Amino acid sequence: MNDERYMRIALGLALKGEGFVEPNPLVGSVIVKNNHIIGKGYHAYFGGPHAEINAINSVTNPRPQRRGSPKAAGLLKGATLYLTLEPCAYFGKTPPCAPAIVQSGIKKVVIATKDPNHLVNGKGIRFLKQHGISVTEGVLRKEAGGINKPFFKLHQKGLPYIVAKWAMSLDGKLATKTGDSKWITSEKSRNYAKGIRAKMNGVMVGIGTVLKDNPTLLPNPPLSPFNKGGGKGGFNPVRIILDSQARLPLTSNLVRTLDKGDIYLMISSRAPQRKIHLLEHKRVRFFGVPSRKGKLDFMAMLKILAKNGVNKIMIEGGGEVLGSAFDHKVVDEVYAFIAPKIIGGRDAKKPAEGNGINKIKDALQLKDVNIKYLNPDILIHGYF
């Protein structure tokens, strides 16, 4: 069917915004007239024009302008717009898109899926219909929901989408019994992992990992300039540190690279005020999290992050943080890098600690598993 063919093109365009639009959704758009594509667009960066506006602009403001061509604005009259997500009908960072579609002269809109955001959720579709535009819903709905799992989880459950990542030896160790972990996997694997990191809008570790490894938690290469507020250069993910007592060293690589991206320090009431003031002076952001049995309340913390626009988080360690995520069944996706090395040691760190399960039948089972060879390592990737 033509509808599916054009929608697949729109879905491909939408993916170009990954790593740049979060916490907004990935959206692509195609405009068709007389079975010819006359316009394309996608949501390119947070705070920028939405996909349908970019598609309309690609027709009404063509570059270069061809001599003798008919007025581009007239081309939209009677055209069909393919859109991977329902258009908005409210003022946010940009004006609403549904009225712009009506004003353009487009007469039919094919939408893959409704927007789960309560500010939209059906309102954009109703607006179009009320203004005489024919609307078809549900074309490649599953595929459209698949590319926007973080956005849907944020608005349906109030939680971030969680990606668990770790690098381990063949016998399942994150480090030796002395804590040495540099480097278990190859440089090729590490660079691949940093590329995944660039598509997140948050990276999470525990303070133990920070004190042991002194990481920057930046992508490779770091996006520059740091432009989180909405710029064509993209932005680096927020570095989220679980640090109940604010032990983050002022001289750490994280603090040294604050010009490259924000640090969110998740603390408890036990954090000393003097240290908080010192880190605040460096521009570290603090979030108070309730405690349970001396530990940060993991679910409460995730809800705080979601409310602050962090909707796609990669947890990179350590074992207790990953274990908590698995214990609470909030992990959506896994990247496990495995090196062909044997470390041994009953006290060596493992990827997922926490409470764990009692019976194998209760184990979490990955789906849609695929394996990638990163010679000499392998990567196992899957979903829950």
Side-chain angles (χ1 to χ4, degrees), residues 6-7 9-10 13 28-42 50-61 72-84 100-101 104-110:
Y6 293 130
M7 190 62 77
I9 295 171
L13 289 167
S29 180
V30 172
I31 300 175
V32 176
K33 188 173 182 180
N34 298 328
N35 292 319
H36 291 287
I37 294 175
I38 63 170
K40 296 178 182 179
Y42 65 96
H50 290 185
E52 51 270 57
I53 303 303
N54 283 330
I56 290 170
N57 286 342
S58 76
V59 178
T60 57
N61 298 305
L75 292 175
L76 286 168
K77 189 174 181 181
T80 298
L81 171 71
Y82 290 84
L83 195 56
T84 59
I101 295 170
S104 73
I106 288 168
K107 285 303 175 186
K108 182 179 179 181
V109 178
V110 180

Side-chain angles (χ1 to χ4, degrees), residues 173-227:
K173 308 297 185 182
L174 292 178
T176 68
K177 60 186 178 183
T178 63
D180 182 45
S181 61
K182 292 185 178 179
W183 297 102
I184 291 177
T185 53
S186 66
E187 185 177 2
K188 187 174 183 179
S189 292
R190 297 197 299 274
N191 287 336
Y192 191 94
K194 288 176 182 177
I196 301 167
R197 187 187 286 166
K199 296 178 180 180
M200 305 290 141
N201 74 334
V203 178
M204 178 185 291
V205 298
I207 186 61
T209 296
V210 173
L211 296 176
K212 179 170 67 71
D213 295 340
N214 195 22
T216 65
L217 299 179
L218 292 170
N220 184 36
L223 295 171
S224 181
F226 176 63
N227 220 348

Side-chain angles (χ1 to χ4, degrees), residues 211-325:
L211 296 176
K212 179 170 67 71
D213 295 340
N214 195 22
T216 65
L217 299 179
L218 292 170
N220 184 36
L223 295 171
S224 181
F226 176 63
N227 220 348
K228 186 181 177 186
K232 296 181 183 178
F235 58 89
N236 290 317
V238 170
R239 281 84 59 83
I240 304 158
I241 315 302
L242 279 61
D243 186 8
S244 60
Q245 298 183 59
R247 292 190 290 157
L248 178 65
L250 295 167
T251 56
S252 66
N253 285 333
L254 286 166
V255 175
R256 274 197 320 103
T257 56
L258 266 165
D259 61 318
K260 298 290 194 300
D262 284 349
I263 294 174
Y264 287 4
L265 214 62
M266 316 308 288
I267 61 170
S268 72
S269 57
R270 294 182 296 159
Q273 286 299 314
R274 182 176 176 278
K275 184 64 177 293
I276 289 174
H277 293 323
L278 289 172
L279 287 167
E280 278 181 329
H281 183 69
K282 297 282 189 179
R283 203 171 52 83
V284 172
R285 289 191 62 186
F286 287 86
F287 293 87
V289 180
S291 295
R292 283 189 176 183
K293 298 179 180 179
K295 293 183 178 181
L296 298 178
D297 185 321
F298 199 79
M299 293 302 289
M301 178 190 65
L302 292 182
K303 289 175 182 177
I304 289 169
L305 290 168
K307 286 178 181 177
N308 282 274
V310 186
N311 74 322
K312 191 176 182 184
I313 299 172
M314 183 156 75
I315 300 179
E316 298 205 32
E320 282 296 331
V321 180
L322 284 162
S324 292

Side-chain angles (χ1 to χ4, degrees), residues 1-20:
M1 287 177 61
N2 279 342
D3 281 355
E4 289 192 1
R5 179 164 68 91
Y6 293 130
M7 190 62 77
R8 287 192 192 283
I9 295 171
L11 287 166
L13 289 167
L15 289 171
K16 291 184 176 184
E18 189 174 17
F20 297 92

